Amino acid sequence: MIRNKIQIKSDKIKEKIKNKRSELKSIKNYKKIYNLITKRFQIKLLCLLMAFILFLYVRYQQEFSKDYIAKLDIINIPSKLLIANNIQENITITVRGFRDSKHEYPMEFSTYIDLTNAELGSNMYRVNLSDDIDYKNLNIIMTPSRIPIVLDELVYKTVPIQAATIGTTSLGLDIEKITVNPSNAIISGPKNLISSINKINTAPLDLTDRYLDYATRLRLNLPKNIKSDISLVDVNVLFNKDTEKIEFNDIVININNLDSRLNVKLDSPLIVQKLVLEVNKNFVTNISESDLSLYLNLKNITNAGIYSNISVEVNIPTYAKLLNIEPSFFDIETESR
């Protein structure tokens, strides 16, 4: 029994010695680790910092960002309602990820706003991506993600069409009237906008330097979000017919386009005794005999001989009208040179 007690005490002493040795060993390991960390600490800290910066650089180089421009569609507009404000047509979509996965990105995106449960008035509506592509694995940012839309009642109205003019007529000539056919249009659009429209203008009709009656076709200049049952109208411009007659006398006639092998036998110059023009009064002082050109065109005469009833051809200003010319034709004789 005494021997057992001695044995127990001996084991306890051995265990304490063992524990002390473990503690001393732990202290030595701690000191070794401490020395490992603190020895040349500044160099080791610098290396660690450089490694971290390199990690961030590599990470940044692998990141990838791409912008897409997607057309915005508006679907399921409630019946008897329509959009009364201007809505941007495109949405910017930014996709972010890593370069090694950019081949997985779609070629294009499509967006839409669903107005199935929309109500009258102004509200913000969320922009959605089309459902034909799986977007779960993509980091997507849409700009803007919500858009204001104003919905108003659809109404119809009949309004007159007016020709809008720009520019000044030649010499300030007065326009007697401008007719538009058809003269009215049925327009449709938002109630608030339609109520403020009392007429529809055509595209600008340029009257710069005009002096003669003329006809043209013009498009209607419709406000945004307004539709019409017609798109083109016929426009006729009629000028004031306040005219005067001007008479010129004894005007010499020229010979044009005579074959170089021939000569015209003339005892005296060919003379037009009387030429009468009709000109707007505003142009009377502008026209003179030097503005007139009278000639015989002999391009079809290739042989010597006598030719009868060769008509006098007249070049006059476009704002004048020829009323009378005496004589209006001549007989000539050609001979070889």
Side-chain angles (χ1 to χ4, degrees):
M1 186 172 181
I2 295 173
R3 194 177 286 177
N4 289 337
K5 288 181 179 181
I6 294 171
Q7 184 66 39
I8 292 172
K9 287 181 179 181
S10 175
D11 291 340
K12 287 181 178 181
I13 291 170
K14 288 181 180 179
E15 187 175 351
K16 286 181 179 181
I17 293 171
K18 186 177 180 181
N19 291 337
K20 288 291 183 181
R21 288 176 178 174
S22 297
E23 290 177 3
L24 290 173
K25 189 174 181 181
S26 297
I27 291 172
K28 288 181 179 179
N29 290 336
Y30 172 77
K31 287 182 177 180
K32 185 183 291 186
I33 294 173
Y34 178 77
N35 290 334
L36 186 63
I37 295 174
T38 57
K39 190 176 181 180
R40 297 182 180 177
F41 177 75
Q42 293 179 343
I43 296 177
K44 293 176 180 178
L45 181 61
L46 180 62
C47 291
L48 182 61
L49 181 61
M50 291 178 65
F52 181 69
I53 293 174
L54 181 61
F55 168 77
L56 292 180
Y57 173 77
V58 173
R59 175 82 174 182
Y60 173 77
Q61 291 296 316
Q62 290 181 343
E63 288 184 351
F64 179 80
S65 178
K66 183 176 181 180
D67 289 336
Y68 295 81
I69 302 298
K71 183 180 179 182
L72 177 63
D73 293 323
I74 309 297
I75 63 173
N76 299 324
I77 301 175
S79 60
K80 297 184 179 180
L81 294 182
L82 78 168
I83 297 173
N85 63 320
N86 296 329
I87 298 176
Q88 64 184 74
E89 298 180 353
N90 298 318
I91 299 295
T92 300
I93 297 178
T94 303
V95 180
R96 294 176 179 172
F98 294 99
R99 292 184 182 276
D100 55 1
S101 61
K102 68 179 182 179
H103 63 279
E104 300 175 359
Y105 296 171
M107 295 295 293
E108 60 182 15
F109 289 84
S110 58
T111 60
Y112 68 93
I113 293 178
D114 190 351
L115 298 180
T116 300
N117 298 316
E119 298 179 353
L120 189 70
S122 177
N123 293 286
M124 297 293 292
Y125 294 90
R126 184 166 63 92
V127 179
N128 303 291
L129 290 168
S130 60
D131 299 329
D132 54 349
I133 300 176
D134 184 8
Y135 303 104
K136 294 180 180 178
N137 298 325
L138 300 177
N139 182 10
I140 296 176
I141 300 174
M142 287 192 296
T143 307
S145 59
R146 299 174 70 85
I147 288 181
I149 296 180
V150 179
L151 293 178
D152 199 357
E153 294 182 49
L154 173 63
V155 296
Y156 295 84
K157 186 178 181 179
T158 301
V159 293
I161 302 172
Q162 180 174 303
T165 61
I166 59 172
T168 304
T169 59
S170 181
L171 295 181
L173 287 179
D174 294 329
I175 294 176
E176 184 174 329
K177 65 178 178 179
I178 299 177
T179 61
V180 179
N181 185 36
S183 58
N184 295 306
I186 300 175
I187 59 174
S188 61
K191 182 178 180 180
N192 288 338
L193 186 56
I194 289 290
S195 62
S196 63
I197 298 176
N198 296 316
K199 64 179 181 180
I200 292 294
N201 290 328
T202 65
L205 174 64
D206 193 357
L207 299 177
T208 303
D209 295 331
R210 293 280 186 177
Y211 48 81
L212 296 176
D213 297 348
Y214 75 104
T216 185
R217 300 200 82 191
L218 295 175
R219 290 189 173 276
L220 296 184
N221 189 10
L222 295 172
K224 188 77 173 180
N225 297 325
I226 296 296
K227 295 181 179 181
S228 171
D229 62 328
I230 57 174
S231 60
L232 292 171
V233 292
D234 295 316
V235 178
N236 289 281
V237 181
L238 304 178
F239 282 85
N240 191 326
K241 300 300 189 295
D242 188 9
T243 60
E244 280 190 11
K245 293 181 180 179
I246 304 177
E247 182 175 321
F248 297 92
N249 302 107
D250 300 331
I251 305 172
V252 176
I253 298 177
N254 297 318
I255 302 297
N256 288 357
N257 301 319
L258 178 64
D259 192 305
S260 59
R261 298 170 301 168
L262 302 176
N263 187 39
V264 177
K265 294 178 63 175
L266 292 175
D267 296 330
S268 60
L270 300 176
I271 301 292
V272 166
Q273 299 172 356
K274 180 180 178 181
L275 183 142
V276 181
L277 300 178
E278 183 180 68
V279 182
N280 191 288
K281 286 185 177 181
N282 294 55
F283 289 101
V284 170
T285 58
N286 287 30
I287 192 168
S288 64
E289 188 172 324
S290 62
D291 298 318
L292 311 178
S293 175
L294 282 65
Y295 60 93
L296 298 180
N297 188 359
L298 305 183
K299 67 178 181 179
N300 295 323
I301 296 179
T302 57
N303 299 310
I306 298 175
Y307 297 89
S308 302
N309 298 329
I310 305 298
S311 297
V312 178
E313 298 192 24
V314 182
N315 285 338
I316 59 176
T318 55
Y319 53 80
K321 180 180 179 181
L322 178 63
L323 296 181
N324 187 31
I325 180 171
E326 297 178 5
S328 60
F329 57 86
F330 288 87
D331 297 333
I332 64 169
E333 181 180 357
T334 61
E335 59 184 359
S336 301
R337 290 182 181 273

